């Protein structure tokens, strides 16, 4: 077989690290180019670009997952990484083409779907959660380190060098897949020819959503996930731009913010989460995480000073315990043969939010006229920026209206979550569809609870 050694989790880890390290380097340059390209409606265009990309990823992910079940993982790893990284060199060549290609690249920007299927091929069921955890930690580590490196190189040597370096790392990732990554799908699982049929049931992106109303408990969980993740997805798409252009953060400050938030989130999702689950129970942990998310979004919405953003960021790290707690609740209460069905529903809901959230946030920013009168002023030597130059066109009481909307949405999620019982048996009517549910893993292996973390790791450029 082509590749170096036998298939392992480490092959998948290196692929993920290189891809997101390349995109992380571009965090600061992307924010600048975005505002220079769309000076009038920066937040609206950012929301539309990320929204189109998210919706295309949601629609195409099941089909790509099903095709990789037939044709193997390596070719689709190559395809998804290539198209996800294709926009990088266009940043300096043509910003308009750069953002256009980012939108269209959503069709193939589903590397994590293929990576999780790759990991599922080569691990036993009891090993899978740890393997997914390793992939997730690698993703977090790449985004903790790369924005700070990119901001430093951009300040010292210019953004052109950062784009060249990111392009080189993306090419290294593609070469690594071609040369070093062996195929993980066993030969006996692949048909003799490429003409094997793919059913609509396998490729239907709405298959998971159609099962939601069949059990009242599942419905409550899915409504909770939708209402809480919709503002989270929108926040991810626009928050760093908001810090940079509205709150006056320097490139270095944005990079430091990402690093600190990432480290705190890793601590919250490991040590703090395990302590809370043992001490106050699963449902109460979910409620506590939603409470932290409401506080964080309200703080973002009303905050007008940089120190408020830092304080709210610490609260945001604590709010990251919500989804792992929901995943644990589902995995504990669902029957063994229902795990994939129920986890697949939650995955589908969050994938849909990745498309709707950014567009919604961009539209709300546009409605409230949250735009700039001019380009950012040069940063001060201390790296803090001049906040006075970043005030909104209108002196609004609410600096960040979408965040306040998000707080109201999460408050509704909290009220819905109150009705979720702590201990119950989820009973979802399923058919042979459940072989193909979840995050597009392959049909011959059940989906592990840890696989539900995939929507947190949707491909994104920040």
């Amino acid at each position: 077989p082509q590749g170096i050694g036998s298939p392992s989790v480490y092959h998948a880890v290196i692929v993920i690290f290189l891809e997101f390290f390349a995109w992380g380097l571009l965090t600061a340059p992307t924010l600048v180019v975005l505002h220079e390209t769309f000076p009038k409606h920066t937040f609206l265009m950012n929301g539309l670009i990320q929204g189109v990309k998210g919706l295309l990823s949601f629609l195409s992910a099941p089909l790509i997952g099903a095709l990789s079940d037939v044709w193997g993982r390596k070719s689709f790893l190559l395809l998804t990484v290539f198209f996800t990284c294709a926009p990088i060199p266009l940043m300096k060549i043509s910003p308009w083409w750069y953002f256009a290609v980012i939108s269209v690249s959503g069709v193939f920007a589903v590397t994590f779907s293929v990576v999780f299927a790759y990991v599922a091929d080569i691990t036993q069921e009891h090993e899978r959660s740890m393997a997914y955890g390793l992939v997730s930690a690698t993703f977090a580590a790449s985004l903790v380190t790369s924005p700070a490196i990119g901001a430093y190189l951009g300040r010292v040597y210019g953004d052109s060098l950062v784009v060249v370096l990111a392009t080189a790392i993306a090419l290294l990732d593609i070469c690594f897949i071609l040369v070093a990554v062996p195929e993980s799908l066993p030969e006996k699982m692949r048909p003799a020819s490429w003409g094997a049929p793919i059913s609509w049931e396998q490729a239907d992106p709405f298959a998971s959503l159609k099962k939601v109303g069949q059990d009242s408990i599942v419905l409550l969980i899915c409504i909770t996930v939708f209402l809480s993740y919709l503002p989270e997805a929108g926040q991810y798409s626009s928050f760093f731009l908001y810090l940079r252009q509205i709150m006056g953060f320097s490139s270095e400050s944005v990079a430091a913010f990402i690093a600190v938030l990432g480290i705190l989130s890793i601590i919250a999702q490991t040590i703090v989460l395990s302590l809370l689950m043992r001490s106050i129970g699963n449902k109460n942990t979910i409620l506590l995480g939603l409470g932290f998310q409401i506080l964080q979004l309200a703080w973002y919405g009303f905050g007008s000073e940089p120190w408020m953003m830092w304080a709210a960021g610490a609260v945001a790290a604590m709010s990251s315990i919500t989804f792992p707690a929901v995943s644990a609740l589902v995995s504990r209460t669902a029957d063994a043969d229902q795990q994939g069905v129920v986890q697949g529903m939650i995955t589908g809901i969050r994938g849909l939010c990745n498309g709707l959230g950014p567009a919604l946030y961009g539209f709300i920013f546009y409605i409230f006229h949250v735009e700039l009168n001019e380009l950012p002023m040069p940063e001060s030597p201390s790296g803090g920026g001049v906040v006075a130059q970043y005030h909104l066109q209108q002196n609004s009481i609410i600096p960040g209206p979408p965040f306040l909307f998000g707080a109201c949405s999460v408050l509704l999620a909290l009220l819905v979550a109150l009705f979720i019982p702590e201990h119950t048996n989820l009973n979802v009517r399923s058919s042979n569809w459940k072989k193909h549910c979840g995050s597009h893993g392959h049909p011959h292996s059940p989906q592990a609870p840890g696989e539900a973390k995939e929507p947190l790791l949707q491909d994104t450029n920040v």
Side-chain angles (χ1 to χ4, degrees), residues 104-155:
V104 178
S105 71
V107 174
F108 297 101
V110 289
T111 308
F112 269 96
S113 297
V114 185
V115 163
F116 279 142
Y118 189 96
V119 171
D121 290 337
I122 57 180
T123 55
Q124 300 297 321
E125 190 172 349
H126 66 277
E127 304 171 325
R128 212 159 286 156
S129 292
M130 184 176 295
Y132 288 149
L134 183 59
V135 173
S136 303
T138 303
F139 163 79
S142 68
L143 291 187
V144 162
T145 55
S146 55
I149 295 173
Y152 172 77
L153 292 176
R155 181 167 56 83

Side-chain angles (χ1 to χ4, degrees), residues 383-400:
V386 185
V387 180
Q389 300 294 333
Y390 294 81
H391 282 303
L392 309 181
Q393 291 178 349
Q394 299 181 353
N395 291 327
S396 172
I397 274 185
I398 308 171

